[in-house]
Amino acid sequence: YFMKKKKPCLSKMPLEREGTYSGGNDDENMNVDLPADLELLSGYEAFKPDVDKTNTTHFWHAFLFDNEFQSFMKSLLNIAKVSSQFTASTTSVKVKKDWQLSVLQLCLLFFFDVILHTADRESRELNEWTNALVIALHTDKEGAHWFLTELVRRMEMASNNWLRTYYTECPEIQARTAAHKVFVGAFLCVVKCPKEQAALQRCMMTIKSLQHDHNSLTEMRKTAASPMSLDSDGVVSEPTSIGKLVEPSIVASFIHSISKLLEFATRR
């Protein structure tokens, strides 16, 4: 590897006596007193532990970009997808779906953290991965709900924020398009759930009520002599935080995350 091309650098400072080095310039006659037991290292020896650690880490992670391993991961996703379809069509037999959800989570992590970062991937392989994930999310509503929840949770993180990475930072159009298809696939699956639709409806009603209270408070403050709260006769208290009143809706949280990205997006 390129870091192992470093060569030992020998010092040009001649040794005059034990513990003393000369600068090699008779005119300046600069002497540097050094401890007798001081061990001198070249640049090669000083950086060798870091280079060895980096090379070892590369050896450990190289298998992630191997074509055979990626084919194995895709076969796991296909097995989980077929099993999910079988489970959805079976009413008499209750099959545990824990392993299917775990496989879907693993494949999503592998897709966003490895596949989309691979430089020499083929367009056909990327399309196969994208379509397989969209179908898997469409057939597994629990997995789609987990995925949206994970996207919203990562919005608060400084790194590994998939929405910000692939919507605002990624320079490659193929990776951005593939990530967008998976995001939309999960969103469309979750938004069709009756339970989520009811939660979203209650969320919108609560937000409208809070907005009305905020507007009323603003109008009363305009006519008041002081911007502070009034006495109990004409009290208009501060509206409670939306997050404390609104029933959790992952669709509303996802839309809010996208809105935050749009606020910082470049205006064109």
Side-chain angles (χ1 to χ4, degrees):
Y1 295 93
F2 71 94
M3 282 184 279
K4 285 192 173 182
K5 293 182 180 180
K6 292 181 177 291
K7 300 297 182 181
C9 180
L10 300 178
S11 175
K12 297 181 180 181
M13 301 168 62
L15 180 63
E16 292 185 346
R17 63 179 183 275
E18 183 178 0
T20 303
Y21 276 86
S22 173
N25 192 331
D26 296 336
D27 296 335
E28 297 179 358
N29 194 21
M30 297 176 60
N31 294 332
V32 180
D33 294 332
L34 299 176
D37 57 347
L38 178 64
E39 182 180 0
L40 298 180
L41 297 176
S42 65
Y44 177 84
E45 295 172 339
F47 289 101
K48 188 175 185 303
D50 292 337
V51 172
D52 292 340
K53 181 180 178 180
T54 303
N55 289 332
T56 303
T57 303
H58 175 76
F59 291 145
W60 288 345
H61 294 171
F63 75 95
L64 294 174
F65 300 95
D66 185 71
N67 292 329
E68 293 184 359
F69 181 77
Q70 294 182 7
S71 299
F72 169 74
M73 292 294 297
K74 188 164 58 177
S75 64
L76 285 181
L77 177 61
N78 292 330
I79 293 175
K81 180 176 61 177
V82 173
S83 300
S84 298
Q85 295 173 350
F86 173 77
T87 302
S89 61
T90 303
T91 57
S92 59
V93 180
K94 293 183 179 180
V95 183
K96 292 184 177 180
K97 299 178 60 178
D98 293 342
W99 71 272
Q100 299 171 3
L101 179 61
S102 299
V103 169
L104 180 59
Q105 293 173 353
L106 176 63
C107 291
L108 285 169
L109 293 172
F110 184 74
F111 178 75
F112 285 100
D113 291 338
V114 178
I115 294 295
L116 295 183
H117 292 270
T118 305
D120 56 348
R121 64 174 181 273
E122 297 181 358
S123 299
R124 180 181 60 83
E125 290 291 333
L126 182 60
N127 292 333
E128 290 179 358
W129 266 100
T130 303
N131 295 332
L133 285 174
V134 171
I135 295 175
L137 291 171
H138 180 73
T139 56
D140 190 351
K141 293 180 174 58
E142 183 180 355
H145 190 277
W146 172 87
F147 181 53
L148 283 190
T149 305
E150 183 69 9
L151 290 177
V152 173
R153 185 185 69 85
R154 287 172 179 261
M155 279 294 296
E156 307 299 329
M157 300 172 59
S159 60
N160 294 326
N161 185 340
W162 291 338
L163 288 176
R164 186 180 65 215
T165 297
Y166 294 105
Y167 274 149
T168 63
E169 298 176 357
C170 180
E172 187 180 1
I173 186 172
Q174 290 184 347
R176 295 199 310 268
T177 303
H180 174 72
K181 289 181 179 179
V182 178
F183 295 154
V184 173
F187 177 82
L188 293 178
C189 177
V190 175
V191 80
K192 293 179 181 178
C193 298
K195 183 178 180 181
E196 185 59 36
Q197 291 178 356
L200 181 61
Q201 186 68 23
R202 289 190 294 269
C203 175
M204 296 303 298
M205 293 176 61
T206 306
I207 292 177
K208 289 181 180 179
S209 177
L210 292 175
Q211 184 66 31
H212 180 268
D213 294 342
H214 175 74
N215 294 336
S216 300
L217 175 63
T218 303
E219 291 298 328
M220 293 197 65
R221 280 182 170 176
K222 288 180 180 179
T223 59
S226 172
M228 300 177 62
S229 298
L230 304 177
D231 295 334
S232 58
D233 294 335
V235 165
V236 179
S237 59
E238 290 286 351
T240 310
S241 174
I242 293 178
K244 297 180 180 179
L245 294 180
V246 176
E247 182 178 349
S249 171
I250 189 59
V251 172
S253 300
F254 180 78
I255 295 175
H256 178 63
S257 299
I258 298 297
S259 300
K260 289 196 296 185
L261 290 178
L262 291 176
E263 290 179 0
F264 295 100
T266 304
R267 301 295 189 267
R268 294 183 179 179

